[in-house]
Amino acid sequence: MRARRAVLGILWLLSLAAISFYGGTVSYGIFFALTFLPFFSLLYIVCVWLRYKVYQEIGSRNIVSGQSVPYYFVLQNEDKFAFAAIGITFFSDFSYVEEVPDQMEYELLPGERYRYETSFVCRYRGEYEVGIKEVTISDFLRLFRVRCEVKGTKKVIVAPKLIRIHELKSISDVSATMQRERLGQAVEQDIVTREYVNGDALKQIHWKATARSQKLMSRRMTGEEKEGVLLFFDTHRYDEEPEKYLPLENRLLETVLSLVLFLCEKNIPVNISCSRDSFMAHQINGVGEFGDFYELIKELEFDHAADTISRIRHVLGKGTAFDKQVVFFILQKPDLEILDMTKQISENGVIVVLYVVTEDRIDDFCAMSNANRRIIAVTPQDKLEEIL
């Protein structure tokens, strides 16, 4: 396009020289034609900009990341003159349209209508615009190009993808034991009893044994001293630009969902907390309760004000972490203060696993792992089935 304008400029200078040295009707005609040609080209672009029509439609506004959704767009010329070159540019930071080359130009004759049916895929969880972002209009000689934002862009709400894992490598040495103990409870809990201890749950009280002994008796459960899992995840927003925070937040929530689903399918109870004070601690005891948790995660928002350190300190201050077999932390930053806070838990026989979702290399931080405290880096590009 710059080359065309340069050629036009050279021709205009040559025509100016021609009328200066030779004159004549032809020289003046060429000079005025070359002089007014750019103005006619711009006027043409303005006419096309005022008259072109673009329509687009998506199959659903509520979708799941990674899911292919039907999509079509229509370009239409409702005028009596041709549209020389109309190009379309799609939103491409967080989604992509399948089988349609970006920056492709279309020529539309008077009354012509172009429709293209395809599909698009959203990469990350969140709410953002998809489809056609802007239209570019060029004149017949390709001297100028104008970019126009599309009115009425399409916005979607994207839920995190649910990735099912069949093995949890980070705790493969203890997960089988946890499941056996959990299954054993169903058989033994009505047989073996002990005296009631202040703090025992009411559902743990064995009423028949209480009636026989005339004192409160509680069911003794295999693995009672350390039972279940505590999971904490970081919901602080660390960046201002969606291009930076969306991939990490999306992968963090996918990690949380995969872990919780795995534990639910193994009948391992899990207590869940996060950085937001408004997010009440949840306990999930099986697959039947996972659906409600997934709906909650879909609506969860990350926040700059969320204080991860204080929230972890509050959760650990309750002392429940010491009663768990495994404590998971899903973080976005390698934090030495958090690592230090987990030291007492890991030294008390509890397995601590820290997943750090990051784009950075954290080899030095991961090198601080030991048998009871395991640190694993997770990137947005990793396959969770291989990392977790």
Side-chain angles (χ1 to χ4, degrees):
M1 190 163 287
R2 289 182 179 179
R4 293 172 184 268
R5 290 199 291 265
V7 170
L8 179 64
I10 293 172
L11 292 176
W12 183 84
L13 291 174
L14 291 175
S15 67
L16 181 62
I19 63 173
S20 299
F21 291 102
Y22 302 103
T25 305
V26 175
S27 298
Y28 275 100
I30 294 174
F31 172 77
F32 284 115
L34 293 174
T35 300
F36 288 105
L37 185 59
F39 297 100
F40 287 124
S41 294
L42 290 174
L43 179 62
Y44 169 82
I45 289 177
V46 171
C47 292
V48 175
W49 173 65
L50 292 173
R51 299 297 297 169
Y52 84 92
K53 295 291 189 299
V54 59
Y55 308 97
Q56 56 180 336
E57 194 61 53
I58 58 177
S60 174
R61 186 170 179 267
N62 296 279
I63 61 178
V64 177
S65 62
Q67 175 187 13
S68 182
V69 179
Y71 167 76
Y72 74 85
F73 66 88
V74 176
L75 292 175
Q76 190 160 332
N77 181 357
E78 299 178 351
D79 270 294
K80 302 298 182 183
F81 61 94
F83 295 169
I86 295 183
I88 55 176
T89 303
F90 297 97
F91 289 99
S92 58
D93 291 331
F94 313 132
S95 64
Y96 62 91
V97 178
E98 299 178 319
E99 301 177 359
V100 177
D102 208 4
Q103 295 293 348
M104 184 174 178
E105 291 188 339
Y106 304 88
E107 295 183 1
L108 297 174
L109 296 175
E112 189 174 8
R113 183 172 183 265
Y114 179 83
R115 176 187 173 106
Y116 194 93
E117 295 189 13
T118 180
S119 57
F120 75 92
V121 177
C122 290
R123 294 185 175 93
Y124 311 120
R125 174 257 195 191
E127 184 176 2
Y128 44 83
E129 294 173 310
V130 297
I132 298 177
K133 178 181 181 181
E134 60 185 16
V135 172
T136 58
I137 302 172
S138 301
D139 60 286
F140 280 97
L141 298 178
R142 305 297 198 276
L143 295 176
F144 303 102
R145 177 179 294 156
V146 176
R147 297 180 181 273
C148 315
E149 291 186 357
V150 174
K151 297 179 180 179
T153 55
K154 298 296 181 179
K155 183 174 285 189
V156 294
I157 300 174
V158 187
K161 183 180 180 180
L162 187 57
I163 302 173
R164 179 175 270 103
I165 56 178
H166 302 288
E167 179 185 5
L168 202 53
K169 298 179 181 179
S170 59
I171 58 166
S172 58
D173 54 335
V174 297
S175 59
T177 303
M178 291 169 64
Q179 188 181 12
R180 283 198 303 270
E181 291 181 354
R182 183 64 178 169
L183 293 173
Q185 291 171 16
V187 177
E188 298 181 353
Q189 64 181 7
D190 286 329
I191 299 174
V192 184
T193 59
R194 58 167 172 75
E195 288 191 25
Y196 174 83
V197 176
N198 189 28
D200 286 347
L202 288 177
K203 64 180 181 181
Q204 196 174 335
I205 296 176
H206 194 296
W207 296 108
K208 291 183 179 179
T210 298
R212 287 195 300 268
S213 61
Q214 298 299 308
K215 57 184 177 181
L216 283 175
M217 301 294 293
S218 295
R219 297 177 176 88
R220 181 187 298 277
M221 299 184 181
T222 306
E224 157 183 28
E225 293 181 357
K226 298 198 185 305
E227 176 194 356
V229 168
L230 174 64
L231 185 148
F232 180 93
F233 62 100
D234 180 9
T235 54
H236 181 83
R237 176 157 291 169
Y238 291 90
D239 290 290
E240 298 292 339
E241 300 177 7
E243 293 81 3
K244 293 182 179 179
Y245 68 70
L246 269 180
L248 297 177
E249 292 177 3
N250 178 75
R251 178 40 54 99
L252 184 145
L253 291 181
E254 288 177 347
T255 303
V256 171
L257 290 170
S258 294
L259 289 172
V260 173
L261 180 59
F262 174 85
L263 296 169
C264 287
E265 290 179 338
K266 299 299 182 182
N267 293 313
I268 299 172
V270 52
N271 291 85
I272 305 167
S273 296
C274 74
S275 306
R276 291 185 63 92
D277 293 333
S278 59
F279 183 94
M280 301 299 293
H282 280 69
Q283 177 168 333
I284 302 179
N285 296 301
V287 178
E289 300 177 13
F290 179 79
D292 292 336
F293 176 70
Y294 180 75
E295 293 298 321
L296 186 66
I297 290 296
K298 284 168 58 176
E299 304 297 329
L300 184 66
E301 296 182 0
F302 287 70
D303 189 359
H304 293 291
D307 191 340
T308 300
I309 299 293
S310 297
R311 191 66 181 160
I312 290 178
R313 189 176 291 112
H314 172 74
V315 171
L316 297 184
K318 295 181 177 180
T320 55
F322 294 92
D323 300 330
K324 304 301 179 185
Q325 288 189 318
V326 181
V327 177
F328 290 105
F329 293 91
I330 301 94
L331 310 172
Q332 298 179 67
K333 297 286 185 180
D335 195 300
L336 293 176
E337 185 175 354
I338 295 176
L339 195 65
D340 187 60
M341 285 165 33
T342 64
K343 183 178 180 181
Q344 189 177 2
I345 307 173
S346 61
E347 290 177 347
N348 220 24
V350 180
I351 301 297
V352 177
V353 183
L354 293 94
Y355 293 106
V356 184
V357 182
T358 179
E359 293 274 17
D360 303 325
R361 294 292 299 270
I362 56 169
D363 296 342
D364 293 341
F365 190 72
C366 292
M368 300 180 189
S369 296
N370 55 47
N372 278 4
R373 187 177 61 194
R374 306 161 189 193
I375 306 171
I376 300 170
V378 182
T379 73
Q381 295 76 34
D382 287 331
K383 292 184 177 180
L384 288 184
E385 303 92 322
E386 299 175 358
I387 296 297
L388 301 187

